[in-house]
Amino acid sequence: MLKIGIVGGTGRLGSLIIKAVLEDEECVAGAVIGRTGNRYVGRDICELAGGAATGVTVVDNLQEAAGCDCFIDCTNAEVCLKNNYEWYLRMKKPLLIASTGFDKAGMDKLRELSASMPVLQAGNFSMALHDFLETIRHMAGKMRVKADISIIEYHHNQKKDAPSGTAEMIRDAVCDANPLYTKEDIAISSVRGGGIVGEHMVLFAYHDEIIELRHRVSSRDTFAYGALKVCKWLAARENGLYELKDFFG
C-alpha cells in the first residue's frame, strides 16, 4: 500500500484529497500535515474527510511524516519553498505539488529538487482539462487568419492568485501551437465571486465572427481524485521534473 503524505491537508483541496485517499484501495493516508496552530492539529483526519475514525491524526511537522512513500503538497508556492523545501530535499520522496504561483526562480528551485526525486507541479488536475487543452492546441494550430484571443477565468472569492494557473496553461497551449502568438498577444481577465469552483472560457474573435471554447468544473472532487491518480503514477517514476502532459502521455 502506498503511504501518501498530504501537506496542507486542512485546506479545501487537502481535505478532499484525504477523502479520496481513504476511499482508494491502493493507498493509505500516511500522514496529514497542517500548519502550527491549526485547530485540526492533534485530531483524527476523519474530522476533515468524514467517515469513521482512522487513528491518523493531523500533525504540524513534516519530520513526523518521514515514513510516507510520497507527498502531495497543496499549500502554496511561498510555504512550499520556504517551509517545506528542505524537508523534501532530506526525505527524497516523490512530490506532487498541487498549487500555483511559482515564478521562474521558484520553478528553478523545483528543478533542483527534481534531481533527487520525481517532482510534478500543476495547478489543475481535472482529467477533462487535458482534452480541453488539446482542443485549444488543435484550434490554434489550424487558424488560417490571426484572431484576437482572450481568456476569461472565473473562481471563488477566496482564490488569491490571478490569473489562475489554468489560464496560464491555456495561454501557453495557444503559443506552443501557433508561433504567430506571444503571451503578450493574449489577454486574460479574472473574475472572483461567490463559490464558483472554476470556469475558463477562450474567445477567438475575428472581424465579424466569434468562436468560444469553455471548460467548467462543478465540484472540487475532480481536482482531488485527479491529483491522487497523478500522485500514484508519479510514485513509480524516475527522478526528474514532470508535467501533466507526461502523465497523459
Side-chain angles (χ1 to χ4, degrees):
M1 295 284 279
L2 192 66
K3 292 182 180 179
I4 299 180
I6 301 118
V7 186
T10 60
R12 286 186 177 185
L13 177 61
S15 60
L16 290 173
I17 291 175
I18 295 171
K19 180 175 180 288
V21 169
L22 293 178
E23 293 175 356
D24 195 283
E25 296 180 351
E26 299 176 342
C27 56
V28 295
V32 173
I33 300 91
R35 70 179 184 278
T36 301
N38 185 279
R39 65 191 179 97
Y40 287 105
V41 172
R43 294 158 69 172
D44 194 286
I45 62 174
C46 70
E47 296 190 30
L48 287 161
T54 65
V56 179
T57 58
V58 179
V59 298
D60 61 1
N61 191 328
L62 259 170
Q63 187 175 6
E64 298 183 51
C68 291
D69 298 315
C70 55
F71 290 93
I72 301 177
D73 187 313
C74 39
T75 56
N76 58 56
E78 181 180 2
V79 171
C80 178
L81 295 175
K82 184 181 292 185
N83 299 353
N84 305 338
Y85 186 91
E86 292 300 325
W87 284 111
Y88 293 142
L89 192 58
R90 293 180 196 180
M91 292 187 283
K92 295 180 170 54
K93 304 289 181 66
L95 173 62
L96 180 73
I97 301 174
S99 60
T100 57
F102 292 88
D103 56 16
K104 183 182 183 302
M107 290 305 299
D108 287 342
K109 291 284 287 182
L110 296 187
R111 194 166 288 105
E112 292 174 11
L113 198 64
S114 71
S116 303
M117 68 205 73
V119 177
L120 188 150
Q121 179 274 327
N124 191 317
F125 289 92
S126 158
M127 297 292 104
L129 179 67
H130 170 73
D131 296 332
F132 184 64
L133 290 172
E134 286 299 302
T135 301
I136 290 167
R137 289 189 185 96
H138 179 80
M139 170 79 186
K142 295 293 185 180
M143 290 169 61
R144 294 181 175 85
V145 179
K146 188 174 181 180
D148 295 323
I149 301 178
S150 297
I151 301 168
I152 304 100
E153 53 103 348
Y154 306 79
H155 284 91
H156 56 88
N157 57 18
Q158 300 300 309
K159 186 171 177 62
K160 296 178 181 178
D161 58 319
S164 69
T166 304
E168 293 177 338
M169 290 167 65
I170 293 170
R171 180 186 60 192
D172 292 344
V174 173
C175 295
D176 291 345
N178 193 324
L180 292 175
Y181 290 95
T182 65
K183 293 182 178 181
E184 290 71 27
D185 292 325
I186 301 170
I188 301 179
S189 300
S190 301
V191 178
R192 300 289 177 264
I196 301 171
V197 176
E199 182 173 341
H200 295 81
M201 182 176 73
V202 187
L203 185 75
F204 297 84
Y206 298 87
H207 176 65
D208 52 4
E209 298 174 277
I210 292 176
I211 297 174
E212 293 180 7
L213 299 175
R214 187 185 302 263
H215 175 260
R216 178 184 297 150
V217 176
S218 57
S219 169
R220 289 185 180 85
D221 288 350
T222 190
F223 303 134
Y225 289 100
L228 181 56
K229 286 181 182 179
V230 177
C231 182
K232 291 194 291 184
W233 172 86
L234 186 68
R237 304 276 78 77
E238 300 292 332
N239 295 348
L241 186 62
Y242 295 89
E243 300 178 38
L244 273 183
K245 64 182 181 182
D246 298 312
F247 167 77
F248 286 108

